[in-house]
Amino acid sequence: MKPRATAAAGTGRTADGTEVPAGEDGPRTARDGGTRESGTRDGSDGQREAGGSAVARARGGRSGTPAEGGGRPASGAPAEGITWRHRLRRDRTLVLMTLPAIALLLVFNYIPLLGNIVAFQNYDVYDLGITGSPFVGFDNFTRIFDDYRFWEVLINTLVIFLTQLILFFPIPIAIALLVNSMMSTRVRAWVQAIVYLPHFFSWVLVVTVFQQMFGGAGLVAQWLREHGHEGFDLMTNPGFFKFLVTAQAVWKDAGWGVIVFLAALAAVNTDLYEAAAVDGAGRWRRMWHVTLPALRPVIALLLVLRVGSALNLDFEQILLQRDQVGAGASEILDTYIWWTGIKTGDFGYAAAAGIFKGMFSVAMVLGANKVAHMLGEQGVYSKK
C-alpha cells in the first residue's frame, strides 16, 4: 500500500504518524506520488468558485470584476478595444496597396479644386496668373445668369439627358434578363462578350462606324438608292441628333450595365424561383414578382447616380459631331464651357460655369436620393 499524506490545518502527517509542516515534507510527499484528499476538495471548491465568478462576470457584462491576474484577453487585443494603431498594424498591407490610388485621387481630383479661385477673379493666364489677377467677387456668376445662351445650352443638355434616361437606361436591364434566362452557359457567355465588346471602343471609332452606316454615303443610304428609294443622312440631321447620340451610347455602354445587373441577378436565391414555380407562376410571373424586386435596390442606386450626372454627358462624343449638326442642336454645357471659356481665354467665366454645374449635380443627387428613400430604397446612402 502506497504512503498517503493528509493535510489538515496547516500540518501534514506521514505514514508513521509523525507531524510535519504542510509546506515541507507533506506537499513533497504528495507531489512524489501521493494524493491529498483535502487538497482535492479544496481544488474542486476553488474551481467551483472560479466558475461561479466567471458566470457572474458573463451575466454582469463589462461591469463585472476584472479577471484575476490582470492578464490580457486570449485574443491578444487590448481590454479597451482595438485602437486605430492596432488596425493600422494589422491592415498595413492593404493600406500600402491603396496609397497609389489615394495619391492619384489627390493629385487629379482634390488639389485642382484649389484652382476654382479663378471663378472669383478676372483671371489673366498669360501675364498676372492666379496670384496677380484681381478679384471681382461674383461678377462671373452674374454674367452666367444674364447669358441667355447659357440657359439655352442648359435646357438642351437636360433634353438630351432625359432622352438617354428614358431610352437607354431600361435597355441593360432587359438584356440582362434575356441573358440570364438562357439555359446554355456557352451561349450566355458569347452573348455577354459580344454586347460588352463595344465598351472598349473609343468615341472616334463609334462615331466612324455610325457614319459609315447611317451617313449620306453610308451602307443604308446606298442600299436604299440601289432599290429605287431616296437616301438619307442621319448624321447631319439636327432634329434627330438626340436620338443619334442615344443610339451610340446604347451600342457602346449597354454591355457595362448588363454586367452590373447580371451580378445582382446572381445573388437572387433560387429557392424563390422554385417556390414560385410550385405555386403555379409562369416565366413572366416569376420575372415580375421575383427577379425585378431583387433588382430594385441596384436599379435605384444606378438611377440616382445617373440623375446626379445629368450634366456630365460624353464631351468627346458631342464634340466630334458638333460641326456636322450645328451648335444649336448639339451644344451641351461641357462643350459650351470649352468654347466660351477655354477656346476664347475667358477662364473665370468657365470656372464659374463649372462650379454651377457641380452644385447643380449635387442638388440632383440629393433630390433623387430623397425620392429613393420615399420609395423605400436605400439609394446612395441609407436614411438615418
Side-chain angles (χ1 to χ4, degrees), residues 120-151:
F120 305 95
Q121 293 179 333
N122 186 11
Y123 182 62
D124 187 358
V125 66
Y126 301 105
D127 297 329
L128 301 178
I130 293 180
T131 58
S133 299
F135 281 88
V136 294
F138 292 94
D139 289 351
N140 291 321
F141 294 92
T142 304
R143 291 171 54 197
I144 289 177
F145 296 137
D146 294 339
D147 188 0
Y148 74 94
R149 179 60 180 161
F150 175 82
W151 296 107

Side-chain angles (χ1 to χ4, degrees), residues 211-223 225 232-233 235:
Q211 180 67 38
Q212 296 297 323
M213 291 293 296
F214 304 106
L219 296 177
V220 178
Q222 291 180 9
W223 183 86
R225 292 190 189 99
F232 61 88
D233 187 2
M235 302 299 294

Side-chain angles (χ1 to χ4, degrees), residues 63-274:
S63 59
T65 57
E68 296 181 1
R72 288 187 174 184
S75 60
E80 65 275 5
I82 301 178
T83 62
W84 67 271
R85 293 184 178 180
H86 290 85
R87 292 193 181 97
L88 185 62
R89 188 181 300 110
R90 180 191 61 189
D91 302 330
R92 58 184 180 271
T93 304
L94 299 177
V95 172
L96 292 176
M97 291 174 61
T98 57
L99 284 181
I102 295 176
L104 291 176
L105 191 66
L106 290 175
V107 171
F108 293 101
N109 290 86
Y110 286 97
I111 294 180
L113 292 178
L114 301 176
N116 286 330
I117 193 174
V118 302
F120 305 95
Q121 293 179 333
N122 186 11
Y123 182 62
D124 187 358
V125 66
Y126 301 105
D127 297 329
L128 301 178
I130 293 180
T131 58
S133 299
F135 281 88
V136 294
F138 292 94
D139 289 351
N140 291 321
F141 294 92
T142 304
R143 291 171 54 197
I144 289 177
F145 296 137
D146 294 339
D147 188 0
Y148 74 94
R149 179 60 180 161
F150 175 82
W151 296 107
E152 291 179 354
V153 171
L154 181 62
I155 293 175
N156 189 59
T157 305
L158 293 177
V159 168
I160 296 177
F161 162 72
L162 290 176
T163 304
Q164 293 188 0
L165 185 66
I166 296 173
L167 299 179
F168 171 47
F169 189 78
I171 291 179
I173 303 175
I175 297 177
L177 294 176
L178 178 62
V179 173
N180 189 67
S181 63
M182 295 180 179
M183 300 301 295
S184 176
T185 306
R186 180 174 298 180
V187 175
R188 183 188 307 177
W190 274 103
V191 172
Q192 184 175 347
I194 293 173
V195 174
Y196 184 57
L197 182 62
H199 178 73
F200 299 98
F201 296 164
S202 66
W203 278 114
V204 176
L205 181 58
V206 173
V207 173
T208 302
V209 170
F210 272 76
Q211 180 67 38
Q212 296 297 323
M213 291 293 296
F214 304 106
L219 296 177
V220 178
Q222 291 180 9
W223 183 86
L224 291 175
R225 292 190 189 99
E226 292 175 357
H227 290 78
H229 301 283
E230 185 179 358
F232 61 88
D233 187 2
L234 296 181
M235 302 299 294
T236 59
N237 188 348
F240 193 76
F241 180 75
K242 53 181 175 292
F243 302 104
L244 176 65
V245 295
T246 302
Q248 293 171 353
V250 169
W251 186 64
K252 184 178 187 297
D253 292 328
W256 173 257
V258 169
I259 289 184
V260 175
F261 289 112
L262 284 178
L265 288 174
V268 180
N269 190 357
T270 57
D271 294 340
L272 299 177
Y273 292 104
E274 297 176 0

Side-chain angles (χ1 to χ4, degrees), residues 9 26 35 38 45 56 68 81 146 172 189 194 203 208 230 237 253 261 280 283-284 287 294 320 335 342 377:
T35 58
S38 60
D45 295 339
E68 296 181 1
D146 294 339
I194 293 173
W203 278 114
T208 302
E230 185 179 358
N237 188 348
D253 292 328
F261 289 112
R283 181 182 298 271
W284 291 102
M287 183 188 69
L320 289 171
T335 57
I342 300 176
E377 300 297 335

